Amino acid sequence: MLTTLKRYFGYDTFRPLQEDIISHILAGGSCMVLMPTGGGKSLCYQLPAMMMPGTTIVVSPLISLMKDQVEQLAAAGIPAAALNSSQSDAESYRIRTMCHEGKIKLLYMSPERLMMELDYLIHDITVSAFAIDEAHCISQWGHDFREEYCQLGELDKRYPTTPIIALTATADKLTRQDIVTQLFGEEPRSNFRRFVTSFDRPNLSFTVQKASTTQNRHSSILRFIGSHKDECGIIYCISRKETEKTADFLREHDIACTIYHAGLTAAERDKAQNDFINDRVQVVCATIAFGMGINKSNVRWVIHNNMPKSIESFYQEVGRAGRDGLPSDTLLFYSYSDMITLERFASESGQKDINLKRLHCMRDYAESTVCRRRILLNYFGEPDGRDCCNCDVCWNPPKRIDGTKLVQMALSAIKRTGERIAMGNCIEILRGMSSNVIKKWHWDALPTFGVGRETTTDDWRDYIMQMIHYGFLEVAYDNNSHLHITDLGNEVLYGKQTVQLAQPNHDVVEKKKAKRRGSSATRDIPAMFQDDPAVKPYADPALLQLLRELRKSLAQAQGFPAYIIMSDKTLENIAIDRPTTIEAFGRVSGIGEYKQQKYGRDFVDVIRRYIGK
Ligand code: ADP
Ligand code: ZN
């Protein structure tokens, strides 16, 4: 497995779980793989495809995604192809012939095409595995539901012994379960397993800025882009109009940008996407229609001009930055008026309750006074006991107090009611307020009744929010929002851990604004990484620039986007390692045999000339 990894993909080690997943597939197992965007999902089915006889069929929802993957595989010397409706008969005939001859290791197609081909092409060739990319499209709970995906349950019945691999970056528990049921039924085959990696993306930084007027958003955007010179990024906007407004503003400041939304013609959308992928524009101002087809690995930043409707959407969107693992920044603007708009959307949607809950989780993230990454990771069910040092709260922490007693009061009140109360009743008990519910259940007789009288209702709400964010409490959204104490919470309750809480600050908006004015919200980020030599060994910028130019000319000659030739990360590794022989070039992380042979000479020449050898 390691030999194949180096030969075709150029890497020396697997990322967490990749090795387990691949071994499982090679042993004939089926699985669901949950990894964040950029986590390295593709390799989990591409590598076994190279080791098994026959062809792996990859189901993908978009032609642009297929194209990107096929180009990327071709650039690594792997025989791959896509069958889709945009091809001529001659082209599709050529691909089918190659499949029949066993020359294609990975074949991409849409779910509807796969269903059509089940009795034809698929029937006639040896299928080594089925990989279902963006598997959340099968679920109505997911954010990208596609009717065509629903037929994929058929595969399990027709190919009971062929590995079926479902992959997604969606972390939502309901969606995860639904994917499995839809693909494998209530009782999945005996060799089915789930693999879930951490959803953490340590290379992404998180910043939230309260911004009420367009003007202060715009000036922050300018500052932010100013600190990302020549680095491309995406600005997500709530509406088509907003994308146009933002793009007009950027153009006035000579920033090369384009817009993307569902109201454009297909040709206009293709052009926008291609301009972005090929680095002809620095910025794309887009609605959420933009993204799933974007595998560009060197997106360095993502701004949300407006708040997304859920943490899933937010994380998927910011996840498009930094797929190559290099430091990348995210900035979210948060305003009360966006919140109102989104609440209305959620209320008018078919699934009001669940959508409002999702939105409120997003609001909790935006309003948080604890490390933002902790909130995200808690949300994805992986509480981590540490602050990340790579978000605005960590850089600019609010005042902290010893909150152990406060947490114990609240948790004890919750425990004594049998964990049957939501936030409102909890605060009533703590503050000693008698309501009908309190009387009905005799909660006014509890020893905790009134112990938190000194603290105001608003402060309690803030503290309990923090307890949820810290992972001491869980909200049972499906059961009247009752609060449940987690294992971590019990540790605090029984005095095994102390806790620092942020002092509530109810006029955060004003204070934060004042604080921010002097210093850009993002200026600290590059410094952060420079402070830590372990994160980034030195790559000579002048050499890196020469290598970038070489990559660009190679890309243009072949008609590929630059990142397909090799990622920014690989380019940086070359600049750090400075190989002066083709053999040494082949040892750089990210360079496989094919790229070594194809590009070694050119790169080595540039490096030798640069260092005067
Ligand atoms: P996903 O499909 O999960 O969004 P990708 O498969 O596109 O992520 O992988 C993201 C990036 O990580 C790619 O540039 C890929 O080459 C790189 N990558 C994957 N596996 C490894 C590994 N074992 N070592 C180093 N880089 C890897
Ligand atoms: Zn943090």
Side-chain angles (χ1 to χ4, degrees), residues 480-605:
N480 302 309
S481 298
H482 286 171
L483 298 170
H484 294 304
I485 303 172
T486 63
D487 292 346
L488 204 59
N490 276 317
E491 296 215 344
V492 183
L493 182 58
Y494 298 119
K496 290 189 202 137
Q497 259 208 41
T498 60
V499 181
Q500 297 273 303
L501 292 179
Q503 211 161 42
N505 182 352
H506 297 295
D507 47 16
V508 203
V509 183
E510 278 314 304
K511 288 226 168 109
K512 274 207 173 160
K513 247 198 236 160
K515 233 187 209 163
R516 284 277 158 68
R517 210 165 273 148
S519 69
S520 137
T522 56
R523 211 166 47 209
D524 328 13
I525 300 162
M528 280 271 320
F529 286 96
Q530 279 158 20
D531 283 345
D532 185 356
V535 175
K536 222 177 172 185
Y538 182 71
D540 182 342
L543 175 58
L544 199 54
Q545 187 53 32
L546 290 176
L547 299 178
R548 232 182 247 130
E549 280 158 20
L550 171 60
R551 177 178 67 170
K552 193 169 180 184
S553 67
L554 292 170
Q556 273 166 354
Q558 296 176 66
F560 285 148
Y563 73 91
I564 296 266
I565 302 290
M566 59 189 64
S567 69
D568 281 15
K569 175 123 186 183
T570 304
L571 212 62
E572 213 175 280
N573 290 336
I574 299 174
I576 291 165
D577 293 358
R578 299 179 166 212
T580 52
T581 62
I582 295 181
E583 200 202 348
F585 180 75
R587 283 196 296 269
V588 175
S589 170
I591 301 295
E593 271 174 19
Y594 185 81
K595 291 187 184 177
Q596 178 190 14
Q597 294 311 326
K598 190 153 185 186
Y599 307 124
R601 187 76 276 146
D602 291 327
F603 277 89
V604 165
D605 282 350

Side-chain angles (χ1 to χ4, degrees), residues 340-563:
I340 304 280
T341 310
L342 288 165
E343 288 212 345
R344 204 187 63 230
F345 286 171
S347 305
E348 290 166 0
S349 71
Q351 299 163 322
K352 177 180 168 196
D353 289 349
I354 187 148
N355 285 336
L356 274 177
K357 275 169 198 161
R358 285 176 169 157
L359 175 61
H360 291 154
C361 290
M362 190 61 224
R363 181 190 60 193
D364 295 346
Y365 168 85
E367 287 192 344
S368 169
T369 56
V370 308
C371 167
R372 299 204 199 271
R373 191 178 314 267
R374 289 173 79 141
I375 298 194
L376 295 170
L377 293 180
N378 275 339
Y379 182 83
F380 296 139
E382 40 174 313
D384 180 336
R386 295 163 304 168
D387 287 342
C388 78
C389 300
N390 197 13
C391 76
D392 57 336
V393 179
C394 286
W395 296 322
N396 208 351
K399 196 161 175 273
R400 309 246 163 213
I401 53 166
D402 180 352
T404 313
K405 268 234 166 61
L406 290 164
V407 176
Q408 285 170 337
M409 282 182 200
L411 297 191
S412 149
I414 292 163
K415 180 143 275 183
R416 283 170 195 278
T417 63
E419 306 187 23
R420 281 185 301 140
I421 49 173
M423 168 121 59
N425 290 141
C426 179
I427 296 174
E428 282 170 356
I429 296 174
L430 288 164
R431 302 207 66 237
M433 293 150 72
S434 246
S435 66
N436 288 339
V437 182
I438 300 280
K439 281 191 203 124
K440 178 174 168 202
W441 297 101
H442 305 293
W443 287 333
D444 44 6
L446 295 178
T448 34
F449 189 74
V451 289
R453 203 170 261 121
E454 317 278 273
T455 306
T456 65
T457 299
D458 277 350
D459 283 359
W460 268 121
R461 196 173 293 129
D462 195 309
Y463 288 136
I464 294 174
M465 289 298 293
Q466 292 185 50
M467 293 175 211
I468 295 167
H469 295 156
Y470 275 126
F472 304 143
L473 286 173
E474 247 171 27
V475 184
Y477 285 118
D478 51 357
N479 183 15
N480 302 309
S481 298
H482 286 171
L483 298 170
H484 294 304
I485 303 172
T486 63
D487 292 346
L488 204 59
N490 276 317
E491 296 215 344
V492 183
L493 182 58
Y494 298 119
K496 290 189 202 137
Q497 259 208 41
T498 60
V499 181
Q500 297 273 303
L501 292 179
Q503 211 161 42
N505 182 352
H506 297 295
D507 47 16
V508 203
V509 183
E510 278 314 304
K511 288 226 168 109
K512 274 207 173 160
K513 247 198 236 160
K515 233 187 209 163
R516 284 277 158 68
R517 210 165 273 148
S519 69
S520 137
T522 56
R523 211 166 47 209
D524 328 13
I525 300 162
M528 280 271 320
F529 286 96
Q530 279 158 20
D531 283 345
D532 185 356
V535 175
K536 222 177 172 185
Y538 182 71
D540 182 342
L543 175 58
L544 199 54
Q545 187 53 32
L546 290 176
L547 299 178
R548 232 182 247 130
E549 280 158 20
L550 171 60
R551 177 178 67 170
K552 193 169 180 184
S553 67
L554 292 170
Q556 273 166 354
Q558 296 176 66
F560 285 148
Y563 73 91

Side-chain angles (χ1 to χ4, degrees), residues 5 11 13-15 18 36-43 323-324:
L5 179 68
Y11 303 125
T13 51
F14 285 106
R15 289 200 181 144
Q18 279 180 333
T37 313
K41 283 185 289 299
S42 326
L43 201 109
R323 275 173 171 243
D324 51 16

